[in-house]
Amino acid sequence: ETGVTQSPTHLIKTRGQQVTLRCSSQSGHNTVSWYQQALGQGPQFIFQYYREEENGRGNFPPRFSGLQFPNYSSELNVNALELDDSALYLCASSLQGAREKLFFGSGTQLSVL
Amino acid sequence: GENVEQHPSTLSVQEGDSAVIKCTYSDSASNYFPWYKQELGKGPQLIIDIRSNVGEKKDQRIAVTLNKTAKHFSLHITETQPEDSAVYFCAASSGGTGANNLFFGTGTRLTVIP
């Protein structure tokens, strides 16, 4: 069974740039969620995708957007990066019948300078 | 929205002793309460979960208890080992339609001293 994989593991960007983070869900999982984890904090919900559509969104501005592909993999895009966007971005997959039971990848550490 | 509070923020125990981490939640509609372990450089790993129709669940050295009336739940680790050292997060979800997203506590850094 393949777990959740994310790429890249680390990324450095400058303020105002755009970034795309990628995620492959665990085998058999059809739902993908993205979370932002600031240093020393718990993860915060960004959004969730199911059947290639956004299925719910947390308190994040529209410059955070996503995609889900037919193979259930997903992308997180962030436009107009701000310094406060520096964080660990976590992707989690789950089954539609148990959307809240999340299995996380190791994350992408994004630094915005 | 849901608000999850977690205590303590740091916890040091001697190897072999027990560790207890406590969380409270605010939304009475929450019905799913997982616990995650996060090691350095890794994502959170689900270690145990409990639903609101159950008061206690145990898996080897780990147990979780839930008090719906008081809106609090706890993680108990017995016979702690150095490899239990990590940051532990509690979370809550209200279920229903939509994303069923998790609301996380701020974490507890557990150190097991050999």
Side-chain angles (χ1 to χ4, degrees):
Chain A
E1 184 178 85
T2 306
V4 177
T5 59
Q6 293 187 242
S7 64
T9 55
H10 296 83
L11 202 52
I12 299 175
K13 291 286 188 178
T14 56
R15 191 171 49 184
Q17 286 189 312
Q18 177 266 343
V19 68
T20 297
L21 311 181
R22 294 179 174 82
C23 171
S24 293
S25 61
Q26 182 167 317
S27 178
H29 286 186
N30 54 15
T31 302
V32 174
S33 302
W34 287 90
Y35 284 74
Q36 180 196 67
Q37 185 176 23
L39 190 64
Q41 300 295 316
Q44 280 198 297
F45 176 65
I46 303 175
F47 43 55
Q48 183 182 86
Y49 278 82
Y50 171 64
R51 288 186 174 177
E52 303 174 48
E53 290 191 358
E54 190 178 286
N55 190 38
R57 188 180 186 91
N59 190 26
F60 281 82
R63 60 189 184 84
F64 286 77
S65 63
L67 286 172
Q68 186 183 31
F69 301 99
N71 66 353
Y72 307 134
S73 66
S74 178
E75 287 182 355
L76 164 66
N77 299 288
V78 187
N79 293 323
L81 284 167
E82 301 177 359
L83 298 179
D84 285 349
D85 295 333
S86 296
L88 180 67
Y89 287 85
L90 295 163
C91 172
S93 70
S94 56
L95 290 168
Q96 176 56 13
R99 291 189 299 273
E100 68 278 11
K101 191 161 188 171
L102 303 181
F103 295 87
F104 284 91
S106 293
T108 294
Q109 184 66 54
L110 173 65
S111 298
V112 182
L113 306 178
Chain B
E2 175 65 275
N3 181 46
V4 177
E5 295 190 354
Q6 183 172 348
H7 301 280
S9 56
T10 61
L11 179 60
S12 292
V13 299
Q14 292 288 339
E15 182 177 357
D17 287 350
S18 295
V20 180
I21 303 171
K22 299 183 178 182
C23 289
T24 61
Y25 61 99
S26 61
D27 187 353
S28 58
S30 289
N31 60 8
Y32 176 68
F33 307 92
W35 286 87
Y36 285 84
K37 174 184 181 182
Q38 188 172 25
E39 297 174 293
L40 194 62
K42 296 185 179 180
Q45 175 192 7
L46 179 65
I47 57 172
I48 195 167
D49 56 8
I50 191 169
R51 295 194 182 273
S52 58
N53 58 345
V54 175
E56 184 174 357
K57 184 177 180 180
K58 189 174 181 180
D59 183 4
Q60 298 182 354
R61 297 186 296 108
I62 295 173
V64 56
T65 59
L66 171 64
N67 183 326
K68 286 174 54 180
T69 303
K71 293 188 194 145
H72 66 70
F73 56 114
S74 300
L75 177 71
H76 304 252
I77 305 174
T78 59
E79 301 172 22
T80 53
Q81 301 168 2
E83 51 264 40
D84 294 330
S85 295
V87 179
Y88 290 80
F89 290 96
C90 62
S93 173
S94 59
T97 60
N100 291 4
N101 54 288
L102 296 179
F103 294 87
F104 284 84
T106 50
T108 296
R109 181 173 298 279
L110 173 65
T111 302
V112 179
I113 304 166

